[in-house]
Amino acid sequence: MLKKQSVTDLVRADLEGKRVFVRVDFNVPFENGQISDDSRISEALPTINYLCENGAKVILASHLGRPKGIDDSLRLTPVAKRLAELVQFPVQKADECVGSAVESQVSGLASGSILLLENVRFHKEEEANDPAFAKQLASLADLFVLDAFGTAHRAHASTAGIAHYIPAYAGLLVKKEIEFLDNAISNPKRPFVAIIGGSKVSSKIDVLRKLLSVVDTLIIGGGMTFTFVKAQGGKIGNSLCEDSKIGEALQFLEDAKKLSKKVIFPTDEVITQDFSNESPSQIVNVHNIPDGWGGMDIGPDSIELFNDVINGAGTVLWNGPVGVFEMDNFSKGTFAIAKTLANSSAITIVGGGDSASAIRKANLSEHFSHISTGGGASLEFLEGKELPGIQALKDK
Ligand code: ADP
Ligand code: MG
């Protein structure tokens, strides 16, 4: 459960005429100057609508990309335009996020209307979590709402610093994210299966350790596989491997055995000589990859094995693709997993930027119980870390 207050703890009397600063994640992707996916804007609408419907003056702030100072190509103007198409409340856009021009725009803001501030990362003080900058942001509003789950693991001025100066609440998206992830690990419908893929053991070992104590079965796939295979004496050829993590991988397998937890690896693997889509491939036993060849995707037997486990699950948590899905020829395993999960009656939760983008690419998003909007944030949450943005909110 979210032990923090959220916007739904605020009623009309708390909100009417109040200036509410909402940190959203409008860091949307662009293609040829156009927003190519506006789901991050749509995800913030429940909170924005709730506040506007209850008579608040809504001030929105977000980052976009990684600007070094003011960068005209990273202004939020196209985002404001798209937002205006998606809400029935008036939307204005500011050219700054602090300063006298913004202050006067805020003071002219009517109840039930929206002002989108300019990219907060135009100021280096944002990522430095500069207290004076956070205070300046806070001075624009009476209340703060965090609805940017994707940045909740960062202690920045607009995600955490600001909460020192005005009362801070979780938005509906942040609330939903925490509830799904928390419920999955503290009260899962069993059997609870986690599928952890991606490229590196080093980035996932903490989450693997944490999950080991709560899951019934763990499936490990993707580039991480080979460090584990090598640790067990297998031949991995040129596959991705972190030699410095072999000790930890072995320890992990021993811990799993002690806890009687099943850890399942791919049995067969699609391998190539070059890390390229066009490179000819063959399928071999994952423990017997010839020199000069490297693993790119799980093979058909592994797909079947993973599918069987997924089909018997009550809850599945998926983080990380099981192959180099960005290359069409090595995306089969990842898309097969996505499809099985989409058709499964289990509670299906996805945390991980690349896994989520694979699901979107396959057009299967609606068939999942929950797809987290924050890859890094969801991972840190699952690892049991306190997210600074969440920590800063008012306790229940
Ligand atoms: P997520 O963002 O879902 O948490 P990660 O960022 O951990 O996932 O990992 C995604 C990356 O892992 C992808 O870019 C994918 O190409 C890579 N990957 C998966 N399998 C392999 C493999 N066998 N060899 C190399 N890279 C892999
Ligand atoms: Mg990733």
Side-chain angles (χ1 to χ4, degrees), residues 370-390:
H370 181 65
I371 300 177
S372 177
T373 54
S378 62
L379 207 58
E380 290 194 19
F381 183 85
L382 293 169
E383 286 166 7
K385 289 190 187 139
E386 279 245 44
L387 310 183
I390 307 294

Side-chain angles (χ1 to χ4, degrees), residues 197-200 203-204 222-223 226 240 269 275 295-297 319-326 351-356:
S199 49
K200 287 196 189 148
S203 64
K204 300 280 167 92
F226 311 102
L240 204 66
E269 186 74 20
F275 192 76
M296 299 292 279
D297 192 13
N319 177 300
V322 295
V324 187
F325 77 102
E326 297 92 336
D354 289 292
S355 338

Side-chain angles (χ1 to χ4, degrees), residues 4 10 56 98 131 144-145 152 155 162 199-200 206 219 264 272 287 330 339 352 391:
K4 297 291 183 176
L10 297 166
V98 286
F144 171 65
V145 171
I162 186 173
S199 49
K200 287 196 189 148
D206 287 338
I219 295 177
I264 296 175
T272 58
H287 282 265
F330 312 110
K339 210 166 156 192
Q391 209 170 2

Side-chain angles (χ1 to χ4, degrees), residues 99-152:
S100 54
V102 177
E103 283 160 23
S104 64
Q105 265 180 299
V106 169
S107 59
L109 200 61
S111 291
S113 68
I114 300 163
L115 175 67
L116 174 62
L117 303 180
E118 190 51 274
N119 193 342
V120 282
R121 285 198 190 162
F122 284 179
H123 296 260
K124 63 179 187 320
E125 293 85 352
E126 162 66 1
E127 288 180 90
N129 195 9
D130 178 76
F133 181 67
K135 199 171 175 180
Q136 247 185 314
L137 293 173
S139 73
L140 297 173
D142 304 297
L143 302 168
F144 171 65
V145 171
L146 178 74
D147 214 22
F149 184 69
T151 51

Side-chain angles (χ1 to χ4, degrees), residues 51-237:
L51 293 171
C52 284
E53 280 157 13
N54 284 291
K57 302 171 178 179
V58 177
I59 303 160
L60 300 177
S62 176
H63 72 287
L64 177 64
R66 299 176 175 277
K68 306 234 175 327
I70 293 174
D71 180 340
D72 283 333
S73 71
L74 292 173
R75 289 195 177 274
L76 286 165
T77 315
V79 174
K81 219 174 132 212
R82 179 62 60 90
L83 175 65
E85 292 161 7
L86 296 172
V87 287
Q88 72 268 46
F89 302 99
V91 178
Q92 293 174 55
K93 156 89 190 357
D95 293 329
E96 248 297 4
C97 62
V98 286
S100 54
V102 177
E103 283 160 23
S104 64
Q105 265 180 299
V106 169
S107 59
L109 200 61
S111 291
S113 68
I114 300 163
L115 175 67
L116 174 62
L117 303 180
E118 190 51 274
N119 193 342
V120 282
R121 285 198 190 162
F122 284 179
H123 296 260
K124 63 179 187 320
E125 293 85 352
E126 162 66 1
E127 288 180 90
N129 195 9
D130 178 76
F133 181 67
K135 199 171 175 180
Q136 247 185 314
L137 293 173
S139 73
L140 297 173
D142 304 297
L143 302 168
F144 171 65
V145 171
L146 178 74
D147 214 22
F149 184 69
T151 51
H153 60 315
R154 308 264 186 240
H156 292 168
S158 72
T159 61
I162 186 173
H164 293 298
Y165 305 102
I166 47 176
Y169 299 83
L172 296 169
L173 174 61
V174 160
K175 186 170 180 242
K176 183 176 86 168
E177 289 271 11
I178 302 274
E179 282 173 355
F180 261 102
L181 295 173
D182 188 47
N183 215 25
I185 49 173
S186 56
N187 188 25
K189 188 169 167 229
R190 294 190 182 273
F192 179 17
V193 176
I195 307 167
I196 307 295
S199 49
K200 287 196 189 148
V201 174
S202 49
S203 64
K204 300 280 167 92
I205 188 78
D206 287 338
V207 80
L208 285 175
R209 284 201 198 100
K210 173 78 187 179
L211 287 173
L212 195 56
S213 56
V214 290
V215 298
D216 299 294
T217 304
L218 198 55
I219 295 177
I220 294 180
M224 274 195 303
T225 308
F226 311 102
T227 303
F228 285 95
V229 171
K230 189 169 175 183
Q232 295 169 88
K235 275 185 63 198
I236 61 164

